[in-house]
Amino acid sequence: MSLPPEKASELRQIIHNHLLKMDIHGKIQEVLAETLRDDQGPAHRTLSETDFLCALRRRGIVDDVMKDLHFTQVTPHPNPNQPTSFTHANIDPSRRYLYLQVLGGKAFLEHLQEPEPLPGQVCSTFTLFLHFRNQRFRSKPVPCSCEPDLKEGFLLEIHGDGGKMADATTMLSMCDPVHLVLIRTDTFSETALVSSHFLDWRTVLASPSGKTCFAVELMGVGSECKVPAGVLIVSLELYPPLTETLSTDIISTQQSLNRQRTAEKERLFLVYAKQWWREFLEIRPSHQSKMVKIFAQDENGVNRPVCSYVRVLRAGRLLESPRQAARFVSLLAHEKAPVVGGGGGKQEQWCSLLAFLCRGKGDCEDHATLLCSLLLGFGLDAYVCVGTKTKGTPHTWVLTRGTDGSITFWESLTGHRYLHQAIDPDAPPLALQPKPSSPYRTVGCVFNHHAFLANCQPSDAVELCVFDFQNQSRWKAMSEEALKSVTAPGTITSLPPLPPLCAPSLDPAAASNQLELEMRCLVSEHRKDLDLATVWDDHLSYLLSSALSAYELERCTGVSCGNEEFQDAVRRAVPDGHTFKGFPIHFLHRNARRAFATCLRSPFCEEIVHCRGDHVRLAVRARVFAYPENACAVWLMFACKYRSVL
């Protein structure tokens, strides 16, 4: 039975995590190698799944796995959509696998003075993320140190043509690197991108044993992209081993040829871009000051055409509509690239998609390119706009064009949508003109995965702009063929591959219950410090759920519903002569103490938490809504009812 790519990746991750927990990687490798050696004797036959299972049973490995499952399956509320056990790893002997092992880290000098964490102590951690040919994996978090204990194994499938086992020649032609992203998470759950590295794995094709081990130097990111961040010891092993290996000269020649082809295509595009820019400036001298951005630096300081940051991205079953996609992107936190020193200048850094998703936050450019990619996946005619906001601040957002010519702006940081109606500068003075509804002031250029257009209208003001991209007197377009030569997937080796989105691993019900319990404790402790008793009304707390659900639905769809039922239920729950007060608030994190401190800064919430009076009853409800990549919409609502005394 074939599985969709996202399900196959999810299954491989489940198998990977279970094998690591059982610590039976070595045993399984040993059994596989032994079985293959036996099958390659005189009576050679195809290794079947039954033979492999029998070999595992003979060694007692299956019994160990089942025993472990028997003792660990104790969750009181199992998730029906998540497999709770497995009987075999579905390793297909007709397919080729790359087993990548990380054997440890060294020379992370920034953490040279990091103290050894005590048992149970919360500390900063490193987590390693991998992406290879539509497969994604992550390591267990380990404490940050100069020599972090990063020891993990990842089984990567190498897909051959037509479902056949990939041979050495086929694998040599595969330019897809293994993308490694290292993330540091501090004690406050804040994440930081440490390194983003593209590993060329093809050196293993020259190893007679099918196995090689080497050190990978990880460089920093942004302004520190030339400074080493640390070293990982990596082992690569092909399974099953190659019958005929390639020479190192052939591999280095192929790698050199790939680099030369990429460099030549990039050089030719740069020559074309310079000529195109000169032509654009000749139209009108004022174009020099317009925000026309052709290239942007990624996290590794590499200049790439902005069109290469946008791809057609389909989310499978993880996102159901364009508006839900906009909601998901808005839940990824906004943070500008860090700058060392002052000056107020903005650090130039557009992140690759994997680095942005693993970090869980980024600048407006990262949000806009991801949203544009998702909207293209939903079949919309979407573009990223580069311009300024009302106060002249540089900004990027997304535009979609309807078949009827309508123009809609999408703010990727909030999920808000604005219908654009241009002002006619030639209309009579008394004619009614549409009022600007969006916060955008100017637009210099728009682009997507196959188009780049610069605004050559007399004014770059958004309110006067006509988004008729076919009109060459209003928009100057780059050659689509020139763009394809450096942005189409597979054309050049310097483009990072497009990772799939991952399903959330978070249990929303369990996370909601935990957050609500912590919030009740914090409120009770806070009121105790004020010499106030706390009596909780569980029924009123439960009624708040419908309001929080309606708030999230409105953020997703833009449609408000369910408010009448909530108000009616509250009226029934609050007796005559009593007063009800409620305060909802939204967060992107699940840290109860941070959330409570923020809530108390609101006078409305403080009034509820500090409520004094006769027959005071308090209520609090937490709802966590999980999205892909474990992005969370967290809603809290505080409420109280008390007898009014005149």
Side-chain angles (χ1 to χ4, degrees):
M1 181 180 71
S2 62
L3 292 172
E6 62 269 18
K7 288 295 181 185
S9 178
E10 182 182 341
L11 177 62
R12 278 190 291 272
Q13 183 66 57
I14 292 168
I15 295 168
H16 162 73
N17 291 339
H18 195 80
L19 291 178
L20 281 178
K21 186 176 71 174
M22 292 282 295
D23 195 26
I24 56 173
H25 272 116
K27 295 179 184 177
I28 287 183
Q29 277 188 287
E30 190 178 325
V31 172
L32 290 172
E34 180 183 317
T35 309
L36 277 177
R37 281 198 301 271
D38 294 341
D39 278 351
Q40 288 172 357
H44 175 72
R45 59 189 179 86
T46 304
L47 175 64
S48 68
E49 183 179 304
T50 305
D51 295 332
F52 178 53
L53 281 173
C54 288
L56 290 175
R57 287 195 185 97
R58 283 197 303 271
R59 297 287 291 270
I61 293 176
V62 173
D63 293 337
D64 291 342
V65 172
M66 297 308 294
K67 187 192 304 182
D68 178 76
L69 291 173
H70 175 74
F71 283 107
T72 58
Q73 193 175 339
V74 294
T75 50
H77 301 290
N79 182 354
N81 299 320
Q82 181 177 352
T84 56
S85 64
F86 66 95
T87 55
H88 56 273
N90 279 345
I91 293 179
D92 189 345
S94 65
R95 289 182 179 271
R96 184 83 63 186
Y97 296 90
L98 176 67
Y99 185 56
L100 186 152
Q101 280 185 290
V102 180
L103 304 177
K106 293 183 177 181
F108 285 84
L109 301 181
E110 190 174 333
H111 301 275
L112 189 61
Q113 305 298 327
E114 202 86 22
E116 192 74 22
L118 299 172
Q121 180 186 7
V122 178
C123 62
S124 299
T125 59
F126 282 139
T127 307
L128 184 66
F129 295 82
L130 271 79
H131 170 233
F132 177 68
R133 296 173 71 85
N134 219 34
Q135 304 163 77
R136 286 182 61 184
F137 300 92
R138 63 178 294 169
S139 71
K140 298 192 298 290
V142 301
C144 292
S145 67
C146 184
E147 297 187 356
D149 191 29
L150 276 166
K151 294 181 180 177
E152 294 277 355
F154 307 94
L155 189 65
L156 312 177
E157 185 175 342
I158 302 176
H159 306 283
D161 297 329
K164 297 179 181 178
M165 181 183 287
D167 57 16
T169 306
T170 303
M171 288 188 285
L172 183 62
S173 65
M174 294 179 181
C175 301
D176 305 74
V178 178
H179 192 179
L180 306 173
V181 170
L182 187 64
I183 298 291
R184 181 178 62 248
T185 307
D186 67 16
T187 53
F188 300 101
S189 300
E190 291 292 330
T191 57
L193 178 62
V194 177
S195 182
S196 174
H197 182 82
F198 296 95
L199 175 66
D200 193 335
W201 53 275
R202 292 176 293 179
T203 53
V204 73
L205 301 177
S207 173
S209 63
K211 188 173 183 178
T212 183
C213 186
F214 51 90
V216 175
E217 185 178 47
L218 300 180
M219 306 303 287
V221 294
S223 58
E224 301 176 22
C225 62
K226 305 297 184 185
V227 181
V231 174
L232 290 181
I233 308 302
V234 173
S235 166
L236 298 177
E237 182 178 3
L238 282 175
Y239 177 80
L242 291 172
T243 52
E244 293 184 9
T245 59
L246 301 176
S247 71
T248 53
D249 290 341
I250 291 177
I251 295 173
S252 59
T253 301
Q254 180 66 37
Q255 291 171 333
S256 176
L257 187 61
N258 291 341
R259 286 192 295 269
Q260 289 172 11
R261 287 175 177 171
T262 295
E264 180 62 15
K265 288 182 178 181
E266 290 175 341
R267 186 189 68 80
L268 291 175
F269 180 75
L270 180 60
V271 170
Y272 168 77
K274 286 181 176 179
Q275 176 62 32
W276 180 92
W277 177 247
R278 282 193 293 269
E279 294 172 359
F280 181 66
L281 294 181
E282 288 172 2
I283 297 174
R284 198 174 283 112
S286 61
H287 285 178
Q288 180 74 47
S289 61
K290 285 193 175 183
M291 294 196 67
V292 179
K293 192 159 192 63
I294 304 173
F295 297 93
Q297 282 190 358
D298 65 10
E299 67 266 26
N300 292 325
V302 177
N303 268 315
R304 289 166 43 198
V306 292
C307 295
S308 68
Y309 290 88
V310 177
R311 312 275 186 92
V312 178
L313 179 60
R314 297 181 178 88
R317 302 284 182 183
L318 301 180
L319 296 170
E320 300 294 340
S321 68
R323 295 195 186 190
Q324 193 179 31
R327 176 60 174 155
F328 156 63
V329 175
S330 72
L331 294 174
L332 299 170
H334 176 222
E335 182 178 279
K336 295 183 178 180
V339 180
V340 178
K346 181 183 176 183
Q347 172 69 32
E348 172 76 1
Q349 183 177 311
W350 293 33
C351 276
S352 62
L353 181 54
L354 184 68
F356 177 39
L357 294 175
C358 295
R359 188 180 172 216
K361 56 186 176 183
D363 211 338
C364 59
E365 296 88 359
D366 305 321
H367 288 78
T369 52
L370 173 56
L371 178 57
C372 185
S373 299
L374 288 167
L375 296 183
L376 288 168
F378 278 108
L380 300 184
D381 188 20
Y383 300 81
V384 175
C385 299
V386 179
T388 61
K389 290 166 71 173
T390 47
K391 294 183 179 180
T393 310
H395 192 62
T396 57
W397 66 97
V398 179
L399 168 154
T400 54
R401 297 195 306 161
T403 52
D404 59 352
S406 61
I407 301 296
T408 304
F409 295 145
W410 302 65
E411 177 47 65
S412 57
L413 298 179
T414 62
H416 293 164
R417 301 164 68 251
Y418 307 94
L419 186 64
H420 171 69
Q421 292 179 305
I423 294 175
D424 183 3
D426 300 324
L430 297 180
L432 288 176
Q433 296 276 23
K435 292 184 178 180
S437 60
S438 72
Y440 313 121
R441 180 180 175 185
T442 64
V443 56
C445 65
V446 301
F447 65 89
N448 60 17
H449 61 305
H450 61 65
F452 184 93
L453 303 110
N455 184 1
C456 54
Q457 297 171 64
S459 171
D460 59 359
V462 170
E463 58 187 19
L464 300 175
C465 192
V466 177
F467 291 92
D468 178 10
F469 296 151
Q470 279 68 44
N471 189 334
Q472 296 182 11
S473 66
R474 297 182 185 273
W475 295 91
K476 179 171 175 58
M478 273 195 171
S479 161
E480 193 169 327
E481 289 302 315
L483 288 170
K484 278 184 179 179
S485 69
V486 289
T487 61
T491 52
I492 59 175
T493 56
S494 60
L495 285 183
L498 185 70
L501 295 182
C502 281
S505 59
L506 186 72
D507 182 351
S512 300
N513 289 337
Q514 179 65 26
L515 180 58
E516 188 172 315
L517 183 64
E518 293 176 5
M519 201 58 66
R520 281 196 176 200
C521 292
L522 290 171
V523 172
S524 297
E525 290 174 2
H526 186 75
R527 286 178 62 84
K528 186 178 179 181
D529 292 340
L530 299 173
D531 293 327
L532 295 172
T534 305
V535 182
W536 294 103
D537 187 329
D538 292 336
H539 177 61
L540 184 59
S541 295
Y542 178 72
L543 297 184
L544 303 179
S545 288
S546 61
L548 300 183
S549 180
Y551 297 151
E552 181 60 22
L553 186 63
E554 184 177 1
R555 289 289 181 96
C556 265
T557 63
V559 178
S560 177
C561 62
N563 193 42
E564 299 82 3
E565 293 88 347
F566 170 65
Q567 291 182 358
D568 186 64
V570 169
R571 289 192 188 100
R572 291 176 180 276
V574 179
D576 290 341
H578 283 63
T579 299
F580 170 83
K581 292 181 180 179
F583 173 76
I585 190 168
H586 175 256
F587 294 98
L588 301 183
H589 62 83
R590 293 178 288 121
N591 187 308
R593 289 194 177 274
R594 276 175 60 197
F596 187 57
T598 303
C599 292
L600 287 180
R601 287 198 286 268
S602 165
F604 302 105
C605 182
E606 187 182 39
E607 188 178 338
I608 293 171
V609 174
H610 294 177
C611 183
R612 300 169 183 263
D614 186 21
H615 206 70
V616 175
R617 296 292 181 268
L618 294 174
V620 65
R621 194 66 168 172
R623 282 295 306 274
V624 176
F625 298 87
Y627 285 81
E629 303 294 331
N630 280 338
C632 290
V634 179
W635 285 95
L636 288 172
M637 190 167 186
F638 296 88
C640 68
K641 64 177 182 179
Y642 58 93
R643 182 177 294 153
S644 303
V645 179
L646 298 176

